Amino acid sequence: MGPVESLKYFIPELIILCGAFGAFLLDFAVRNKRAVGIFSLFVMAAAAFAMKNPAGETLSLFYGFFHLDVFAHWFRIFALIAVSVTLMLAMDYPPLKNRYEGEFYGLFLFMAFALITVAAANNLLMIFLAVEFVSLLSYLLTGFLKHDPKAKEAAVKYLLFGSVCSGIMLYGISLLYGAAGSIELGHVWQTLRSPSMSALGTVGVLCFFAGLGFKISMAPFHMWAPDVYEGAPTPVTAFLTVGPKALGFAVFTRVLITVFSPSFAHWGVVLTALSMLTMTIGNLTAISQTNIKRFFAYSSIAQAGYILMGLAVFSPLGQNAVMIYLFAYLFTNLGAFAVVCLVEGASGKSNISDYAGLSERSPATAFFMTVFLLSLTGIPPLAGFIGKYYVFAAAIEGKAIALAVVAAVNSAVAAYYYFRIIRVMYLVPKAETQPTFGTSPLYPKIVLWLMSAGVVTLGLFPGYFIKLLFG
Amino acid sequence: MEILTLAAKIGAYALMTGVLLFALGVVALRNLFHSALCLAAALIGIAGLYLFFRADFLAAVQILLYVGAVMTVIIFAIMLTEHLSGKTTIQHNRQSLPAFLGIAALVTVIAKVILQTPWPVTQKALGAHTSVEGIGTALMTVYVFPFEVISVVLIAALIGAVIIAKRENPS
């Protein structure tokens, strides 16, 4: 479809883009930067209203460079939720005040646009461009609080690590392009089907493992995650653990299905091993953490390992499981980070010991955190259970029994350290020096309610949700 | 004719060897300023390769952007930060040897794969000549979407760079 006809299907994205520029302009005009944040939220709401499910048909907008199908549609909804929640958390995040707060919201609107282009990328050029766009913005937002040495260190580490991984992926892309003579994923697939190309296909898929594995924090490309999640401003950390990760999974799924399906026999084993490695490293290292953001960084590496199970078995059930898990993880993790933001706002710190006696100081916050931690553990009837159920079902259906066993053992380990936080909140008495909670700020509270509603609804009525996703 | 093709072939391989040597210089030389010069030379060499493969526009862009702009800025930065230009830096650490072995293994594997892959070489691809006009038309028609996305990427990066570089305390 040519650009002019495409525009009418491209309205939500145009709203976001115009909104981003609008936010920068508004930032000049108003003194109270919170207004820019509220404006950005309205932009997101307007974009969400303008979105239509393409329901079954596939729209190849702009000569196929923006590939809008049901898959892309749900991931752009995902991106909108992640960005909106982050905006709400950022509005009551004290360290951001007087530090280019308006620009922060504007950049996040660009981020929403970038994530949507990732979801809709369907050729080698757009995949590289969109993933790089998200990475660039992530580096910027990580180092946004530049007075903080930890944030600076995190941003530089993220940038260096990310550039190397993107470089490797770009090299793989160049090889595939050379072999197929086209950037279209379908042509590359055709080329890779011939047996003489299978070695090249394996090199190509390994290069993609490096580039996209970095985005989803898959071991051994996860080294950046703990430092970046700890150093970044907490709302940005909340966003990084879900947004780029989920979109990384989206493009990973798309690439594996549409390009590398002929050589599944070669990379399936590698991906299974990496999945086991990722969850084991994440879980074992999470046990000994003392900083809550670092703790969630390792927990999120472990969760990436579980999600990878769905891709490693490479069946339709596995692909659906990836999407279900990601949505469950979206609500759960953003909710947990809303609590982290609240506690950080009250005490200014983010150590696990700061959660001692939280049940006395703020019973509601402690209760919500418990719900989110239980969901991360995978206890019914919460969202996390549905996600876990599907990835395990996919693994067993795909006869990957070893993978399922490793994941089960890992889940038990994970339960131990998630319950450790609950124990600290409920059983460890609060220290005298710990500040009491004032009235909690409005927006993180709204996030708490919304996310816990999402977690519970998804857990109680999974059938409705799954019907909505897959028709 | 035979001799001409042979000469062109030798020239291209010599150019590639030169680029590789300069690239090695970037990571191996101890003086940062020398490294930067090596990088400039390597980039010019790559522009030469583009010329050889008849992508003259790309070669011009490469020289203008990388050698003309990026390298100048890098060299400026090195000259201005006084303690960097004279100092020698150690470019290797204890992990150099294992890393080198790993890279060597990787390069061997990839080289083997590249050599055994039957690359589709068509007469059409060999004779292709990308003109400025062709690139312009392509950017404004088929590739209009990525072109516009890149403009958004650049503006976002610019705004971010200004925020990062600006002096703290705007209030």
Side-chain angles (χ1 to χ4, degrees):
Chain A
M1 203 182 291
V4 180
E5 306 106 271
S6 305
L7 279 180
K8 72 170 181 252
Y9 300 104
F10 198 63
I11 290 171
E13 289 75 17
L14 288 181
I15 292 178
I16 294 175
L17 268 186
C18 296
F21 289 112
F24 286 119
L25 283 180
L26 192 67
D27 181 45
F28 277 119
V30 295
R31 192 167 283 269
N32 182 5
K33 303 297 183 201
R34 183 181 268 252
V36 185
I38 293 171
F39 170 77
S40 309
L41 275 182
F42 272 110
V43 170
M44 298 310 279
F49 267 111
M51 273 182 190
K52 273 198 216 73
N53 191 345
E57 60 174 326
T58 302
L59 299 166
S60 276
L61 306 185
F62 301 102
Y63 303 112
F65 282 90
F66 191 88
H67 184 84
L68 188 56
D69 51 9
V70 181
F71 184 77
H73 174 71
W74 285 112
F75 272 104
R76 61 181 187 169
I77 299 269
F78 190 103
L80 281 195
I81 298 176
V83 170
S84 312
V85 168
T86 314
L87 287 173
M88 281 158 92
L89 291 181
M91 272 198 273
D92 283 309
Y93 186 64
L96 262 183
K97 296 280 166 265
N98 292 328
R99 288 183 204 280
Y100 307 104
E101 198 188 343
E103 285 86 346
F104 183 86
Y105 301 128
L107 284 177
F108 252 103
L109 288 179
F110 277 135
M111 181 62 108
F113 178 74
L115 290 179
I116 292 175
T117 53
V118 174
N122 197 35
N123 59 41
L124 295 175
L125 173 64
M126 277 316 289
I127 286 175
F128 177 71
L129 183 59
V131 169
E132 246 347 64
F133 192 3
V134 172
S135 302
L136 261 179
L137 286 171
S138 308
Y139 309 147
L140 272 176
L141 292 165
T142 303
F144 207 82
L145 298 177
K146 53 189 174 173
H147 62 288
D148 180 4
K150 259 190 178 164
K152 273 190 273 194
E153 183 195 334
V156 170
K157 270 189 186 162
Y158 200 9
L159 172 74
L160 291 177
F161 211 99
S163 320
V164 172
C165 287
S166 312
I168 295 174
M169 184 167 85
L170 191 59
Y171 183 70
I173 288 177
S174 77
L175 287 180
L176 295 178
Y177 174 69
S182 160
I183 53 171
E184 293 303 324
L185 297 187
H187 289 158
V188 182
W189 180 77
Q190 280 285 345
T191 313
L192 291 186
R193 275 202 323 173
S194 93
S196 56
M197 288 288 180
S198 76
L200 188 82
T202 311
V203 172
V205 79
L206 290 181
C207 290
F208 269 95
F209 278 7
L212 297 176
F214 159 76
K215 288 264 79 159
I216 60 179
S217 67
M218 172 174 83
F221 307 105
H222 67 284
M223 307 289 189
W224 57 275
D227 286 325
V228 169
Y229 290 172
E230 190 187 347
T234 311
V236 176
T237 308
F239 174 77
L240 289 180
T241 56
V242 290
K245 183 172 264 188
L247 273 298
F249 268 109
V251 73
F252 207 12
T253 315
R254 209 191 268 283
V255 167
L256 289 183
I257 294 173
T258 49
V259 181
F260 296 112
S261 48
S263 52
F264 171 65
H266 295 291
W267 54 261
V269 193
V270 180
L271 203 57
T272 308
L274 288 181
S275 161
M276 290 181 193
L277 187 69
T278 308
M279 58 180 101
T280 313
I281 288 182
N283 281 324
L284 291 185
T285 333
I287 296 174
S288 56
Q289 297 307 316
T290 52
N291 179 297
I292 191 95
K293 281 159 83 178
R294 230 178 151 78
F295 167 83
F296 274 117
Y298 284 107
S299 137
S300 104
I301 293 172
Q303 302 281 344
Y306 302 138
I307 306 174
L308 272 175
M309 287 167 74
L311 284 181
V313 295
F314 203 60
S315 58
L317 181 65
Q319 288 142 26
N320 290 353
V322 169
M323 201 149 165
I324 295 168
Y325 202 114
L326 281 173
F327 267 94
Y329 179 67
L330 166 81
F331 293 124
T332 312
N333 225 41
L334 285 179
F337 266 100
V339 176
V340 176
C341 277
L342 275 175
V343 174
E344 200 186 328
S347 65
K349 280 180 290 202
S350 53
N351 293 322
I352 291 181
S353 55
D354 293 316
Y355 287 72
L358 191 70
S359 59
E360 284 171 54
R361 290 184 290 154
S362 174
T365 317
F367 173 74
F368 279 126
M369 188 61 151
T370 310
V371 170
F372 297 129
L373 288 171
L374 290 179
S375 175
L376 280 174
T377 321
I379 306 259
L382 299 168
F385 169 72
I386 306 296
K388 277 241 172 69
Y389 173 79
Y390 268 91
V391 289
F392 274 98
I396 290 167
E397 187 211 51
K399 303 270 187 304
I401 303 302
L403 184 61
V405 170
V406 172
V409 173
N410 264 294
S411 302
V413 176
Y416 164 73
Y417 64 74
Y418 287 131
F419 276 101
R420 192 172 67 119
I421 308 282
I422 299 179
R423 189 185 71 91
V424 169
M425 288 193 303
Y426 281 91
L427 298 180
V428 177
K430 65 169 183 166
E432 286 305 313
T433 48
Q434 267 165 359
T436 47
F437 263 62
T439 45
S440 311
L442 177 66
Y443 285 101
K445 230 170 19 189
I446 299 179
V447 170
L448 274 186
W449 280 102
L450 286 179
M451 293 299 112
S452 53
V455 167
V456 174
T457 330
L458 222 164
L460 287 179
F461 309 104
Y464 175 74
F465 167 75
I466 288 163
K467 215 182 241 167
L468 193 72
L469 277 187
F470 305 113
Chain B
M1 204 57 208
E2 281 288 298
I3 296 173
L4 268 183
T5 350
L6 190 69
K9 236 180 192 170
I10 293 174
Y13 280 112
L15 200 54
M16 288 181 207
T17 321
V19 169
L20 275 181
L21 285 179
F22 279 119
L24 207 64
V26 177
V27 290
L29 287 181
R30 281 163 176 253
N31 186 311
L32 202 56
F33 184 67
H34 294 165
S35 289
L37 288 183
C38 276
L39 183 58
L43 290 172
I44 293 177
I46 290 171
L49 281 179
Y50 286 152
L51 269 184
F52 182 79
F53 294 120
R54 293 212 225 163
D56 17 325
F57 178 68
L58 202 56
V61 169
Q62 166 91 3
I63 294 209
L64 271 180
L65 268 184
Y66 281 98
V67 187
V70 177
M71 279 320 300
T72 317
V73 173
I74 290 181
I75 290 179
F76 252 79
I78 295 174
M79 302 286 254
L80 285 178
T81 40
E82 205 164 301
H83 58 277
L84 279 182
S85 58
K87 219 166 96 180
T88 55
T89 44
I90 298 165
Q91 292 239 37
H92 55 85
N93 57 20
R94 260 183 300 161
Q95 288 172 353
S96 292
L97 186 68
F100 178 78
L101 292 178
I103 297 289
L106 190 70
V107 167
T108 322
V109 171
I110 290 180
K112 206 170 155 232
V113 169
I114 289 180
L115 287 179
Q116 73 176 49
T117 300
W119 298 97
V121 183
T122 55
Q123 214 50 47
K124 194 175 143 229
L126 282 180
H129 182 89
T130 42
S131 61
V132 185
E133 204 185 327
I135 293 175
T137 318
L139 280 184
M140 278 297 125
T141 53
V142 179
Y143 292 93
V144 69
F145 186 71
F147 181 70
E148 293 299 334
V149 170
I150 288 177
S151 65
V152 179
V153 175
L154 285 182
I155 203 146
L158 257 177
I159 293 169
V162 170
I163 294 168
I164 296 282
K166 214 172 150 190
R167 199 180 289 266
E168 184 73 75
N169 190 21
S171 57

